[in-house]
Amino acid sequence: MEFTRTYRTPISDVWAAVTESDRLARWIGFYTGDPTQGYVQFTMNAEGEDNMIPVRYDIRRCEPPRVLQIRATDDFGTWDLVVEMVEADGITTVTLAEMVNDPTAIENTGPGWEYYLDRLTAVMHETDPAAVDFDDYYPAQREYYRLIQQAIVDDATSAN
């Protein structure tokens, strides 16, 4: 799955919003630990107190300010994420890709990333990310992503 957002701001500012713990905390979560060790403990904070469970995020690739690749395993599976950024003419384009091993997760994961990336957009536009309502994403977008999920499964089945 791949998502793209653009911001009229320097790449260094967007990179900081994605990699600095205090900036991450504004839209998705925070980490503890030293990233130079190759991993951190990441805690999501936008889903309420009950969901604030630290998860180890292994840093697979970090090329500031252009590429960050992480892998995490939690109760929902393994997450392989790549964030890539490019800047041209004062506009930074962010592409977040998640390698989905289980297509049945798409109907939940897709709306989730739409929600979090819109929270990032709110932060980058200096508006309140709390105004981004998860109910506008899930279950509202679930059927759209379920159709994508079904197309992937159908393609895989017909290829075999």
Side-chain angles (χ1 to χ4, degrees):
M1 297 177 50
E2 188 172 284
F3 304 89
T4 302
R5 299 292 190 276
T6 57
Y7 305 104
R8 189 173 298 282
T9 189
I11 194 171
S12 59
D13 191 36
V14 184
W15 180 259
V18 172
T19 61
E20 294 177 7
S21 187
D22 62 324
R23 300 276 308 268
L24 272 167
R26 297 177 192 171
W27 64 277
I28 191 169
F30 60 91
Y31 66 82
T32 57
D34 181 358
T36 63
Q37 298 293 315
Y39 66 92
V40 294
Q41 293 292 326
F42 183 77
T43 304
M44 297 180 81
N45 65 358
E47 296 181 16
E49 296 287 324
D50 293 341
N51 295 312
M52 292 183 58
I53 302 165
V55 174
R56 179 181 166 131
Y57 275 40
D58 292 310
I59 301 165
R60 300 291 189 133
R61 183 174 164 206
C62 184
E63 299 170 11
R66 306 224 179 270
V67 180
L68 176 64
Q69 181 177 2
I70 61 153
R71 172 176 266 191
T73 301
D74 63 15
D75 293 342
F76 301 102
T78 298
W79 307 82
D80 287 300
L81 304 172
V82 178
V83 178
E84 296 179 300
M85 298 183 194
V86 293
E87 182 181 1
D89 300 322
I91 296 174
T92 300
T93 301
V94 177
T95 303
L96 180 140
E98 178 179 344
M99 282 44 93
V100 178
N101 299 321
D102 177 6
T104 63
I106 291 172
E107 68 183 73
N108 299 313
T109 305
W113 279 121
E114 297 281 3
Y115 168 71
Y116 287 116
L117 290 170
D118 285 354
R119 286 177 56 89
L120 172 60
T121 297
V123 167
M124 298 310 300
H125 290 150
E126 298 181 1
T127 61
D128 184 6
V132 180
D133 186 357
F134 187 70
D135 291 339
D136 292 339
Y137 298 83
Y138 190 89
Q141 295 179 358
R142 184 177 182 195
E143 182 61 18
Y144 170 77
Y145 280 99
R146 193 195 64 70
L147 292 171
I148 292 171
Q149 166 185 306
Q150 189 59 51
I152 292 168
V153 170
D154 291 347
D155 285 349
T157 302
S158 66
N160 291 331

